[in-house]
Amino acid sequence: MCANKVSSPIDEQVLINLKAGDRVLICGTIYTARDAAHKRMSEALQKGQDLPFNINGQTIYYVGPTPAKPGQIIGSAGPTTSGRMDKYTPSLLDRGLKGMIGKGYRSQEVVDSMKKNKAVYLAAIGGSGALIARTIKSMEVIAYEDLGPEAIYKLTVENFPAVVIIDSEGTDWYQAGKEQFKQQADQ
């Protein structure tokens, strides 16, 4: 399967055409946020405050990058486990978040919210943080600088590799793979 180029923020027409299992190369702007940043965003929303960036149409990468070595933009930037953000994700999807990049499974509540809000979940390859870092062309702290690597960063990426795990219809590539393996094993 050939990789599709996808610009971020993701155009809704492009998004709804992405299917579970598609490989993509992302170009454009993505934001980073992990557990602590998600908690702060959730608290801000509960207080009726604005988020630190316009989340509408955006993609969040679940990563806590390591410090950059001299001459580098960013250190290793591999994905973290997405399930830790599940309790915060539906409220962000309701406010326009369209893409998430991480690794691992998502809760049924998140999948249902993705279907309702027409969003996608992508996986980056765990263990390849140094390679992924090469696709990051610029990095800027947007909010919560005191959180260090868990601050929210605005990244400009070029050909960031990812796989669509859950598409906007709720089709889950992890589940499909399990079923396919089970059927082959039963033959």
Side-chain angles (χ1 to χ4, degrees):
M1 190 181 297
C2 188
N4 300 308
K5 293 261 184 169
V6 173
S7 294
S8 183
I10 303 173
D11 177 80
E12 190 164 329
Q13 193 58 46
V14 171
L15 184 143
I16 62 175
N17 286 313
L18 293 174
K19 300 300 175 204
D22 285 353
R23 290 182 287 167
V24 298
L25 296 173
I26 303 167
C27 296
T29 301
I30 61 176
Y31 292 87
T32 71
R34 284 186 45 157
D35 316 46
H38 274 75
K39 182 178 180 194
R40 286 200 187 166
M41 287 190 291
S42 177
E43 290 167 350
L45 292 173
Q46 289 171 6
K47 294 175 185 174
Q49 299 170 346
D50 290 336
L51 294 173
F53 65 98
N54 180 358
I55 201 165
N56 195 37
Q58 298 297 339
T59 300
I60 292 179
Y61 181 28
Y62 305 139
V63 62
T66 64
K69 293 178 182 172
Q72 293 181 330
I73 294 168
I74 193 170
S76 183
T80 196
T81 304
S82 303
R84 295 196 319 257
M85 275 51 79
D86 281 2
K87 64 184 171 185
Y88 308 113
T89 300
S91 66
L92 297 176
L93 290 167
D94 287 345
R95 284 163 180 80
L97 179 65
K98 291 297 179 186
M100 298 153 289
I101 306 169
K103 65 180 182 181
Y105 296 99
R106 303 311 299 263
S107 69
Q108 189 60 52
E109 181 183 12
V110 170
V111 174
D112 292 343
S113 186
M114 288 173 57
K115 289 169 36 178
K116 176 181 114 182
N117 293 292
K118 297 294 180 205
V120 295
Y121 170 54
L122 303 114
I125 306 302
S128 63
L131 294 174
I132 290 171
R134 294 180 188 171
T135 71
I136 298 169
K137 303 305 176 188
S138 71
M139 178 175 90
E140 170 189 357
V141 176
I142 296 298
Y144 316 138
E145 188 170 7
D146 61 301
L147 296 177
E150 289 204 35
I152 295 177
Y153 293 91
K154 178 181 179 181
L155 305 179
T156 302
V157 298
E158 186 178 308
N159 296 325
F160 181 109
V163 177
V164 178
I165 299 300
I166 303 172
D167 61 30
S168 63
E169 296 172 355
T171 304
D172 186 325
W173 195 54
Y174 290 152
Q175 291 302 113
K178 282 183 185 178
E179 291 301 318
Q180 183 180 15
F181 181 78
K182 185 178 176 193
Q183 288 174 3
Q184 290 173 348
D186 289 344
Q187 293 179 355

